[in-house]
Amino acid sequence: MNPDFRALRRRFPVLERKTYLNSGSYCALADSVRDAINGYMEDRLLVGANWDVWVTKNEAVRAAMARVLRTQPGEIAVTASASAGINALASACDFTGPRNKVVVSDFEFPTNAQIWHAQEHRGARVVHVPRAPDGYIPLENFERLIDEETQLVAVTQVCFRNGAMLDIAGIARLAHSRGAKILLDCYQAVGSVTVDVKRLDVDYAVGGMLKYLLGTAGLGFLYVREELVPGLLPSNSGWFAQANIAAMDITANRPSPSARRFEAGTPAVVNCYAVEAGLRIILETGTDNIESRIRHLTRLCLRRLEEIGWASVTPRQEERHGAMICVPARDVAQLFGALMERDVVTSFRDDNLRASFHFYNSEDDVETFVAALAAHRSRFR
Ligand SMILES: Cc1ncc(COP(=O)(O)O)c(C=O)c1O
């Protein structure tokens, strides 16, 4: 059954006042997420330290995240951020042998390049896959750099700078054919498109909850393919990573047999309440339905932009972009401010204005955005 997107939209109060096109930075907040955070406050005020409920909430996030990624809870670590997940994974990698190369792309969010560069003193060599003259990164560019010395290809699905989406299944095939593993940073994709980690055949995946997953900051996830877990011993660890959290054994490190071994300390409990509620909306609406809805809106946006003569830097082909459409602008900060004055909320990176769509946006939002841009034609670059 098709979701009632109009009814869903009414659950996000900010949309009554703003044309909110900033889900790629921070989602709009749903009524049920607010209620969940208030529920946490109630529990704390009336019950005190309800440890059992906290643990249940953390496990509920793990289970829901596994469903979103179409995998099993045992393959999910609930982390404090995407960066925390990448760090935990990096700490389990050995760069002392001949397979010490990490391949990243020029589309990476800083954290997924910086953390790998931070492993250079442990023997890692980091190489960057450049973009082609048209601004995209085709598979051939990855093919040139992934080789028998490559341990890991760490790559974003959707680029936060220009909205371009990479061919992750293709990159995974390439990596595996040369004996390398692939880490997917799906933060700018998950919740806006279906990210099926098995179908994409990635080994690891990271992301967080405050963008298209409708949650809050302070919580992320790391997916680790089940067969790989036993061979990875993170040195970034803690008591929540142990096989038995309650053992309180200070004589040894006994990591969990599941992906929980990539966790560390006490979970951000209030965020678990919020994220559980956000993920529930995503799962009830269905990621395939969400993806079709967003595709409809981005298609309309790209067409309308072309009609006003303000072409995007985001590739037009459906398989090459996600939920974010970026347009180049002169004085982009001023354009951003001018749109804010009209209650059109966007964001910007480099010289590009970013409009990111979610299922709660409407065709009217697209028209309002395009009309606001048309009123500032002089800033076209
Ligand atoms: C693609 C991508 N990866 C990683 C991050 C950073 O995630 P965190 O702050 O949870 O480490 C972001 C944040 O905007 C992002 O867009």
Side-chain angles (χ1 to χ4, degrees):
M1 205 175 68
N2 265 350
D4 182 348
F5 286 111
R6 267 173 203 264
L8 276 168
R9 180 180 166 93
R10 287 195 287 276
R11 297 185 49 192
F12 296 81
V14 74
L15 304 179
E16 283 165 28
R17 297 155 190 227
K18 310 263 186 201
T19 302
Y20 193 81
L21 301 174
N22 196 23
S23 305
S25 303
Y26 214 136
C27 62
L29 193 81
D31 52 7
S32 57
V33 177
R34 175 201 56 208
D35 294 346
I37 294 172
N38 288 341
Y40 167 80
M41 296 305 291
E42 288 298 306
D43 284 355
R44 292 284 289 120
L45 288 169
L46 301 178
V47 186
N50 50 349
W51 183 260
D52 294 346
V53 177
W54 290 7
V55 173
T56 321
K57 292 285 174 196
N58 199 40
E59 290 311 313
V61 169
R62 187 191 317 282
M65 203 53 236
R67 283 183 62 204
V68 169
L69 296 175
R70 303 191 175 178
T71 185
Q72 301 303 318
E75 295 183 306
I76 302 291
V78 180
T79 59
S81 61
S83 302
I86 301 171
N87 268 310
L89 176 65
S91 80
C93 294
D94 177 3
F95 299 106
T96 55
R99 235 184 224 283
N100 61 356
K101 190 165 149 186
V102 179
V103 174
V104 301
S105 83
D106 270 353
F107 281 176
E108 293 322 303
F109 188 84
T111 216
N112 194 34
Q114 292 158 347
I115 294 172
W116 297 109
H117 279 290
Q119 311 309 313
E120 283 164 346
H121 76 96
R122 298 175 55 217
R125 282 185 301 130
V126 182
V127 298
H128 289 241
V129 182
R131 31 186 113 191
D134 68 355
Y136 190 68
I137 312 184
L139 267 189
E140 302 86 83
N141 290 19
F142 283 91
E143 195 158 19
R144 265 181 231 123
L145 287 174
I146 302 173
D147 57 20
E148 271 60 35
E149 293 177 354
T150 305
Q151 177 171 154
L152 185 72
V153 181
V155 71
T156 193
Q157 190 161 8
V158 173
C159 176
F160 78 108
R161 290 181 196 279
N162 60 20
M165 182 152 76
L166 293 173
D167 175 3
I168 298 302
I171 299 168
R173 263 195 306 278
L174 260 178
H176 292 152
S177 73
R178 292 171 191 181
K181 302 282 186 284
I182 172 169
L183 162 66
L184 173 64
D185 174 357
C186 58
Y187 208 153
Q188 286 290 344
V190 66
S192 68
V193 297
T194 293
V195 177
D196 181 331
V197 288
K198 300 295 175 191
R199 184 144 2 128
L200 291 171
D201 199 21
V202 294
D203 301 292
Y204 318 111
V206 285
M209 312 297 194
L210 86 161
K211 303 179 192 293
Y212 302 98
L213 290 177
L214 305 181
T216 61
L219 221 57
F221 63 86
L222 168 67
Y223 157 80
V224 180
R225 188 200 287 278
E226 190 179 21
E227 312 87 90
L228 299 175
V229 172
L232 291 162
L233 203 63
S235 62
N236 264 28
S237 189
W239 63 307
F240 269 75
Q242 301 296 301
N244 178 5
I245 299 171
M248 302 289 174
D249 176 7
I250 61 169
T251 64
N253 173 37
R254 295 197 175 83
S256 162
S258 75
R260 192 166 55 70
R261 67 173 53 191
F262 295 92
E263 296 180 12
T266 309
V269 181
V270 62
N271 301 325
C272 293
Y273 280 65
V275 166
E276 184 192 14
L279 292 178
R280 183 168 301 140
I281 302 174
I282 295 292
L283 288 167
E284 282 172 2
T285 311
T287 56
D288 289 347
N289 293 326
I290 294 171
E291 179 171 344
S292 326
R293 171 76 185 153
I294 293 174
R295 289 226 171 275
H296 162 70
L297 294 171
T298 52
R299 207 177 295 135
L300 176 64
C301 182
L302 286 164
R303 180 164 60 73
R304 296 287 292 115
L305 283 171
E306 209 166 80
E307 281 166 16
I308 65 161
W310 200 326
S312 70
V313 293
T314 310
R316 286 210 58 172
Q317 301 98 302
E318 299 253 297
E319 70 285 2
R320 286 196 175 187
H321 70 80
M324 182 187 283
I325 303 297
C326 303
V327 292
R330 187 177 307 139
D331 303 329
V332 68
Q334 282 177 32
L335 178 60
F336 164 79
L339 264 59
M340 272 300 225
E341 279 171 24
R342 292 169 164 244
D343 284 331
V344 178
V345 185
T346 58
S347 57
F348 61 93
R349 292 285 182 278
D350 307 328
D351 291 329
N352 299 326
L353 189 81
R354 313 188 305 175
S356 37
F357 295 87
H358 213 321
F359 65 75
Y360 45 59
N361 290 118
S362 64
E363 290 83 353
D364 285 349
D365 289 341
V366 175
E367 295 303 335
T368 306
F369 170 61
V370 174
L373 278 186
H376 292 278
R377 269 187 170 293
S378 58
R379 300 198 191 280
F380 176 64
R381 181 169 58 79

